[in-house]
Amino acid sequence: MVKGYINLHKEHNDFLSIFDNIGVKKLSLKKLKSQNEVDIVLTSLSKYGETKKSLSDIETSSKPLPTLIIANNKEFDQAVDLISNDMIEIVSNKSRVSEVNARINSLLGDSSSEKLEFKDLIINLK
């Protein structure tokens, strides 16, 4: 199960069922105490600034949270600068489940061999 902080514009609410179908558990911002509790951030481009501000208390600049951004076709031009960050993936609001799943796996690493686990410690080698 992937733990995700989700902050979507209402026009992207259909992605909630996609995230649920691929095993993303929605986290509440009020309950988050540390960055280690969040595997991925899922947000609309129009909510990206708000999302970053909301997570500023737990996210560190040395370890940014992997982020999947949903953008409308008209917004893609605004998102070009974000694409250069390897911790950010962007999908169209028309993307299929398979693409969303692939982008999430790209951010998190889709192989269990990329993770080392010992008790409460998980190290993602990617």
Side-chain angles (χ1 to χ4, degrees), residues 58-124:
I58 65 165
E59 186 177 25
T60 64
S61 59
S62 63
K63 185 186 169 214
L65 289 166
T67 302
L68 179 76
I69 298 173
I70 302 160
N72 299 335
N73 290 336
K74 295 177 184 177
E75 297 175 322
F76 260 88
D77 290 339
Q78 299 171 5
V80 172
D81 292 340
L82 297 172
I83 295 172
S84 63
N85 183 331
D86 63 349
M87 294 301 287
I88 295 177
E89 290 278 350
I90 299 174
V91 294
S92 164
N93 61 324
K94 305 291 184 196
S95 294
R96 296 181 181 167
V97 173
S98 58
E99 180 182 357
V100 173
N101 195 29
R103 301 281 183 166
I104 288 173
N105 286 335
S106 173
L107 285 165
L108 299 177
D110 59 355
S111 170
S112 61
S113 65
E114 293 179 348
K115 292 185 180 179
L116 300 175
E117 296 185 38
F118 179 73
K119 295 185 181 182
D120 292 338
L121 175 66
I122 301 172
I123 300 172
N124 185 332

Side-chain angles (χ1 to χ4, degrees), residues 20-61:
D20 188 49
N21 286 339
I22 59 178
V24 176
K25 177 184 174 194
K26 184 176 180 179
L27 300 173
S28 168
L29 181 63
K30 293 178 183 178
K31 295 182 181 179
L32 292 178
K33 295 180 182 135
S34 82
Q35 185 171 351
N36 296 331
E37 296 177 54
V38 182
D39 294 322
I40 192 165
V41 175
L42 307 155
T43 187
S44 300
L45 183 60
S46 60
K47 297 254 185 180
Y48 179 68
E50 174 187 316
T51 300
K52 293 299 281 182
K53 185 176 180 181
S54 296
L55 295 172
S56 64
D57 288 343
I58 65 165
E59 186 177 25
T60 64
S61 59

Side-chain angles (χ1 to χ4, degrees), residues 3-22:
K3 298 172 287 185
Y5 172 68
I6 302 173
N7 187 21
L8 300 177
H9 189 275
K10 63 184 175 183
E11 68 185 342
H12 297 147
N13 279 343
D14 53 331
F15 275 81
L16 292 172
S17 62
I18 293 173
F19 298 147
D20 188 49
N21 286 339
I22 59 178

